[in-house]
Each structure stands twice: as C-alpha cells, then as structure tokens.
Amino acid sequence: MYKWINHGLHLEYEISGEGIPFIFLHGMGGSVKQIQSTYEPLEGVCLINLNQQGHGESEACWEKFDFDHLADDVCDLMDRLEIKKAYFAGISMGAAVCLNLAVRYPQKAEKLLLIRNAWTDHPMSDKVQKAYYDLGACLQEGGIERFYTTEGWQIVKEPSAYTCNAFTSPFEDKACVKYWQKYQILPDKTPIPNVEVLKNIQVPVTILACRNDLCHPYEYGEYLEKHIPGAVLLEIPDKDKDGALHKQMINEAIREMLF
C-alpha cells in the first residue's frame, strides 16, 4: 500500500500489474479489499485502486466530502503517477465518482464501466438516506443493538440478505466506525448537477445493474442508459441469487472494456 498527502489529507492507493492503466473504485463502506475480492487480474493491465476519503486508512475532509472532491482525488493520483488517460470502473459510490470524473474531466477517461449505480442526478431515495443516516448514528454511538431499534433497520432488514449484510457488517469494520460521517453525508449528494450533462459523455459506457437491490435499483441503470449516448446496459444476477455469476459477469465486462 502506498501513501501520499493530497491537499493535506493522507490517502492510500495500490498498484498491481503492468500495462493498460485501469482504475477500479470501491463502493461506500468498502476499500481496496473490495476490489481485490472482485477483480481477476489480467495480463497486460496495471490495476490502480485507492482507499477513497474516509475509507481504509485514508483521511477525509467532511466539509468538502462530495463527488467533486472524490473525483479530484483520482485525477490528482493520475497526475502523481503521470497517467494522462485511463480506463475506469466503479462499484456503487465508485461508479458515481467515475461518472463525475467523465463529466468534469472527459479527457482523462478512455471508457467507463458503472457497476450497481446508487446515484443518478438525484440523491438516494429518502428511505435509503434514512437507513444510512441511522447506520451512521449507531456507528458513532450505540452499536449494532441500537441500530436494530431504528427505523433504518426496519427499512433494510427485509429486501435481501445482501442488503442486511451491507448495513450490519460496517459495525465490524474499524474504518466504518471511525469514519461514520460518510453514511450521513454522501447519500444526500449527487455526482452530476443535472441529467443534461450526461449527453456530453462521448466515451463508451457499459452499465451493470441487478434487481432485488434496495440501494442500487435496476431502474437507475435504465435511467443512465437512456441519457448517456450509446451506453449499454447489462443485467447481472444479484449476489444472493448467484454471487459467483455476479463476479464472473463483472470480470467479463472488464475484459470486454479493456481488450
């Protein structure tokens, strides 16, 4: 793991392999470990992934915690590594950061792979925001037993086993407990200012979406496909239905994008 100071924040990143620069960004509450468990290394590819602000050991500036600043971190890392242009993939929050970057820094993106989008040009839904707000509050104080008494838990406990785990596993993650603020800030943000900017994306975009996922509605994939010129939407199984095929299809999409 490499460390560097960017605008006063200590941030972490990893590099593995040599070849085509491929930046793969984790989701909210994840880390480089999420990418390591998802990505199957490819010959001729240089994988670059980072612990984004408030994840892993990367610090955060909560006053500026939004998609613009998260995307700026990625661009600053590219400059540090002297990478002018790269291929991008992102899961959930990472997909939103990729979308922001493609809109604001189009010269830096070769292609995009957006996996399980959790944002469009609108914040998360009110009920998902409430679930994350309660999660953040209980990570700060009270723990998982208190979370089980909240309205947020009532929202997330039924949709799927995967969703339940996504809201209970943070209590066992030191970084999620330490940086609980992200759950109360980011769900109310948007990665792009309006839907019209999507028309300006000229690079190839592939969108992977699954059903039965409260925080990553399939409809978000359909919405982005409709408004991004030439975008391709592919349905993948949710993790509860077939976790192995879910991962396989992500890696197939990565290979298709890179080669």
Side-chain angles (χ1 to χ4, degrees):
M1 185 78 73
Y2 298 96
K3 298 178 184 293
W4 100 103
I5 299 176
N6 194 43
H7 301 292
L9 297 176
H10 289 80
L11 302 178
E12 300 179 311
Y13 66 96
E14 285 190 339
I15 301 177
S16 59
E18 295 182 356
I20 300 170
F22 173 44
I23 298 174
F24 196 173
L25 302 176
H26 64 76
M28 185 168 67
S31 70
V32 296
K33 293 180 180 179
Q34 181 184 30
I35 304 306
Q36 292 167 352
S37 66
T38 301
Y39 171 69
E40 296 174 350
L42 294 168
E43 186 176 353
V45 175
C46 176
L47 173 68
I48 302 156
N49 60 342
L50 63 152
N51 280 329
Q52 300 178 79
Q53 286 191 38
H55 296 80
E57 294 297 323
S58 290
E59 298 175 336
C61 175
W62 302 120
E63 291 75 19
K64 299 179 179 179
F65 190 67
D66 56 33
F67 290 108
D68 282 358
H69 286 89
L70 294 176
D72 288 348
D73 288 341
V74 177
C75 292
D76 291 341
L77 179 58
M78 291 178 69
D79 292 343
R80 175 182 177 85
L81 299 176
E82 299 182 345
I83 297 171
K84 293 183 178 181
K85 207 167 188 179
Y87 293 79
F88 289 90
I91 300 171
S92 188
M93 180 188 83
V97 174
C98 289
L99 195 61
N100 179 288
L101 188 147
V103 167
R104 296 174 56 236
Y105 302 101
Q107 73 281 6
K108 289 186 175 292
E110 290 278 8
K111 295 181 180 180
L112 299 182
L113 176 61
L114 309 178
I115 304 167
R116 294 171 45 236
N117 292 276
W119 288 263
T120 58
D121 57 322
H122 297 286
M124 290 181 165
S125 69
D126 289 344
K127 67 177 183 179
V128 174
Q129 284 193 51
K130 174 59 177 174
Y132 275 123
Y133 189 90
D134 287 350
L135 172 61
C138 295
L139 285 167
Q140 179 191 17
E141 186 177 2
I144 195 168
E145 293 303 324
R146 180 185 169 197
F147 182 61
Y148 288 147
T149 69
T150 66
E151 180 183 345
W153 173 245
Q154 297 303 314
I155 292 170
V156 303
K157 72 176 184 178
E158 295 296 340
S160 68
Y162 170 77
T163 298
C164 284
N165 182 67
F167 279 82
T168 55
S169 60
F171 290 94
E172 300 175 359
D173 187 315
K174 292 181 180 179
C176 290
V177 175
K178 180 178 181 180
Y179 298 119
W180 55 269
Q181 294 95 325
K182 58 180 173 275
Y183 292 109
Q184 296 189 340
I185 297 173
L186 208 58
D188 190 37
K189 303 291 185 181
T190 58
I192 55 175
N194 55 67
V195 71
E196 293 301 316
V197 300
L198 295 177
K199 297 178 181 179
N200 298 326
I201 296 178
Q202 299 300 315
V203 299
V205 178
T206 300
I207 301 162
L208 303 183
C210 57
R211 304 182 190 274
N212 193 37
D213 192 331
L214 175 69
C215 301
H216 312 90
Y218 186 81
E219 292 74 20
Y220 286 13
E222 293 178 313
Y223 182 83
L224 293 174
E225 180 196 28
K226 177 181 177 181
H227 293 286
I228 298 174
V232 175
L233 172 64
L234 300 175
E235 181 175 353
I236 61 176
D238 66 77
K239 289 186 176 182
D240 289 337
K241 184 176 181 179
D242 194 333
L245 184 57
H246 181 96
K247 177 179 176 178
Q248 177 186 325
M249 292 187 70
I250 288 174
N251 281 280
E252 288 175 353
I254 290 172
R255 287 191 292 272
E256 182 68 24
M257 176 178 69
L258 295 175
F259 300 107

